[in-house]
Amino acid sequence: MGDPWLSIIGMADDSATNLPPASRTALDAADIVFGGPRHLKLADAGARGLPWPIPFSIEPVLAHRGQRVAVLASGDPFWFGAGASLAAHLQPEEWRVFPAPSTFALIAGHLGWRLEDTTCHGLHAAPFERLRGVLAPGGQMICLVRDGDAPQALAAWLTGQGAGAATLWICERMGGDAQRVRRSTAGEFGLSDIAAPVAVAIALPENVGLSRASGLPDNSFAHDGQITKRPIRALTLSALGPRADELLWDIGAGSGSISVEWCLAGGRSIAFEQDATRVANIAQNIEDFGIGHRMSVVQGDASTAVQDHAAPAAVFVGGGGNAALFDHLFDLLPKSTRLVANGVTLETESLLSHLHVKMGGELLRIEMAQAAPLGRMRGWVPARPVVQWSVTL
């Protein structure tokens, strides 16, 4: 077995003369050097240099498999860098990595922050809404952003989330002679002439962020009234038991609120809904919560649509449940799948009771009443009971 043909080299924002000896040796030995224009200039790659294509693609690198190739990346290539994208298409013996201190490490060192207490985010091509689920009182985060205009846009987004008092450090070209760090608040952001590459460190104020408990307020979601109400949603999510990266099928999704909270807990979800207006609301909720990388929506009849998708760890049937659908799911779903179904009609209650007798699990009847004005007095207005069946297949 020969030496790896690909060297993935991390660089700080200074010249290649400051690279560690092993990184410098790998760069000098390369016949072809891929990188952004800034890195190619810093490395003095000359005629060997090939810039990354726009839009970004690793295919040109793979096309030179077998030649001596170096890829230049900022800092640690396997922390929001090109390293993992390349390694996914290679055998372990084909590549080696020479990391440099990450931008996150450089900023944390400059500010005196513990990295273990800091969340780190790559927002080059991701929406700011991706941060919504990690905003927390007194939290601190470091965000890599796209360009010099992005910090102002991020400050405006934070202000819209009630975090106008957040302290921001705008960190430009970290690790080189041109390094510059400036401070502002999100609500009074007025910095200009911001040079890329740039990252933003954020110290959040108190009283920001979403609750970590299941059952967000109903008005957190776009919906037309077809939504699993907050207390029932909390009980449903508890029965579903979300775990990191598990896939949920949300059948008859309505507003998609169950899927949204599943994804905020670290899972992935496919929401199935037939009504076009509700599909639009689900899409809006996906955008508002920044979970497009975790959640998708499919319009159509779930009984035919689900079989075209990867098998889930859990299934929630919130609407449209009938005997034919459940029979189809029982034939389709793998063993150990967690299934939770809610029903509000007498017909669905009867069906779920029958399934409970047949297959076991737990059957709950959930009855609630909410205080509301009744003429000159206040009284309890009962909600329609919900029957919930949960089982592990």
Side-chain angles (χ1 to χ4, degrees):
M1 186 67 65
D3 292 334
W5 64 270
L6 177 63
S7 297
I8 307 172
I9 302 171
M11 292 186 67
D13 198 78
D14 53 15
S15 72
T17 57
N18 293 325
L19 284 172
S23 301
R24 180 74 241 190
T25 298
L27 175 59
D28 289 343
D31 299 317
I32 299 169
V33 180
F34 280 93
R38 177 176 59 89
H39 284 137
L40 295 176
K41 182 178 179 180
L42 289 171
D44 193 22
R48 298 182 300 155
L50 293 176
W52 288 113
I54 300 174
F56 175 82
S57 171
I58 64 170
E59 295 304 321
V61 176
L62 300 178
H64 290 279
R65 183 184 254 116
Q67 298 178 259
R68 291 180 297 180
V69 179
V71 164
L72 303 178
S74 294
D76 186 341
F78 282 84
W79 205 351
F80 297 107
S85 298
L86 288 161
H89 297 272
L90 301 171
Q91 297 300 315
E93 64 273 11
E94 292 188 87
W95 55 273
R96 54 186 174 176
V97 63
F98 302 90
S102 69
T103 301
F104 302 112
L106 293 172
I107 293 174
H110 181 85
L111 297 177
W113 285 3
R114 294 178 182 269
L115 268 177
E116 63 267 29
D117 295 334
T118 305
T119 62
C120 300
H121 308 275
L123 301 179
H124 296 100
F128 298 141
E129 285 78 10
R130 189 73 60 86
L131 302 176
R132 190 172 178 191
V134 294
L135 298 178
Q140 57 192 38
M141 56 181 63
I142 301 172
C143 303
L144 309 180
V145 294
R146 182 181 60 255
D147 54 30
D149 296 329
Q152 183 171 0
L154 176 56
W157 182 84
L158 288 166
T159 301
Q161 296 296 311
T167 301
L168 274 55
W169 289 265
I170 312 306
C171 305
E172 306 164 63
R173 306 195 68 169
M174 296 299 291
D177 294 338
Q179 173 176 309
R180 180 170 64 172
V181 178
R182 291 181 286 174
R183 180 173 173 172
S184 179
T185 62
E188 298 179 352
F189 193 90
L191 301 179
S192 59
D193 186 31
I194 298 172
V198 58
V200 182
I202 304 166
L204 292 165
E206 301 299 321
N207 300 317
V208 297
L210 300 172
S211 169
R212 293 294 190 265
S214 298
L216 294 174
D218 295 348
N219 61 10
S220 302
F221 305 93
H223 66 90
D224 63 353
Q226 187 67 22
I227 183 173
T228 303
K229 297 295 191 279
R230 179 178 183 171
I232 304 299
R233 193 179 335 116
L235 291 171
T236 301
L237 285 158
S238 177
L240 285 167
R243 299 189 183 105
D245 208 41
E246 285 188 329
L247 178 64
L248 171 73
W249 285 356
D250 185 356
I251 297 175
S255 68
S257 60
I258 292 287
S259 282
V260 168
E261 296 210 40
W262 173 279
C263 292
L264 290 174
R268 298 173 292 116
S269 178
I270 305 171
F272 299 92
E273 175 57 54
Q274 296 192 67
D275 184 273
T277 299
R278 292 170 184 165
V279 168
N281 285 335
I282 293 170
Q284 185 64 57
N285 288 323
I286 291 173
E287 180 179 344
D288 289 346
F289 284 90
I291 51 175
H293 60 308
R294 294 188 174 275
M295 180 177 171
S296 60
V297 58
V298 175
Q299 183 175 359
D301 182 1
S303 62
T304 56
V306 293
Q307 60 197 31
D308 297 327
H309 297 276
V315 176
F316 173 58
V317 181
N322 54 53
L325 173 64
F326 284 107
D327 286 342
H328 181 60
L329 290 175
F330 297 151
D331 290 338
L332 186 65
L333 295 174
K335 296 296 184 183
S336 78
T337 302
R338 307 189 298 279
L339 173 63
V340 177
N342 289 353
V344 296
T345 66
L346 292 175
E347 292 80 7
T348 307
E349 179 176 348
S350 176
L351 173 61
L352 297 182
S353 297
H354 172 74
L355 292 172
H356 175 242
V357 171
K358 178 182 177 181
M359 303 190 66
E362 293 188 357
L363 189 69
L364 299 177
R365 183 180 176 88
I366 306 163
E367 300 188 43
M368 297 185 303
Q370 186 172 11
L374 299 174
R376 295 184 178 181
M377 302 181 64
R378 298 184 68 83
W380 293 100
V381 178
R384 181 180 297 176
V386 175
V387 174
Q388 182 180 95
W389 176 55
S390 58
V391 68
T392 299
L393 301 179

